[in-house]
Amino acid sequence: MPHMLLIVEPLGQRASRSRPEGEQAYQRMLDFGAELQAAGLLIARESLGTAARRLTRRADAVQVLDGPFAEAKEMVGGFFLLDTEDEAVALHWAGRCPAAEWATVEIRGVGPCYG
């Protein structure tokens, strides 16, 4: 099963950086993605925006909530999807991810949601 590196950031962190600091951090993440691609591991990568909506459906009732969500202290800021079944490989690359300096890099296997 592939592994995903989820970048979990503190809320408001992006706004605390100056524009040049944000651009530098983003470039470091792009460079990291290029390294993963050169290593033949990258399936997909994306930075995620800060705006969010949540949808739930219970029976026939649909509810949509607009963020930000007061109870949230963190947000998923992006991901790298790696073509490796070896968790040790995913952990190695997570340790090299620049975001590990300012966020948490969560490693998850990708697979069915049963069992």
Side-chain angles (χ1 to χ4, degrees):
M1 95 179 70
H3 281 79
M4 181 172 280
L5 307 182
L6 292 170
I7 311 305
V8 183
E9 305 177 27
L11 280 179
Q13 177 176 256
R14 292 180 184 186
S16 71
R17 295 182 183 130
S18 69
R19 174 84 185 226
E21 289 170 332
E23 289 174 355
Q24 181 183 33
Y26 187 66
Q27 186 59 54
R28 289 181 66 202
M29 296 298 283
L30 292 175
D31 294 344
F32 177 68
E35 287 180 50
L36 288 168
Q37 188 160 9
L41 291 170
L42 188 65
I43 296 173
R45 69 173 173 206
E46 208 56 62
S47 177
L48 301 176
T50 57
R53 298 179 94 185
R54 291 181 179 169
L55 182 140
T56 58
R57 183 178 61 230
R58 302 295 181 264
D60 291 329
V62 174
Q63 181 180 24
V64 178
L65 299 172
D66 292 328
F69 304 103
E71 71 278 8
K73 293 180 175 46
E74 300 174 316
M75 67 169 210
V76 177
F79 69 89
F80 295 90
L81 182 58
L82 308 185
D83 187 14
T84 181
E85 293 186 15
D86 189 338
E87 185 180 42
V89 170
L91 283 166
H92 166 79
W93 283 95
R96 294 186 58 183
C97 181
E101 296 172 18
W102 62 80
T104 300
V105 180
E106 183 175 322
I107 299 96
R108 287 208 179 166
V110 177
C113 60
Y114 56 84

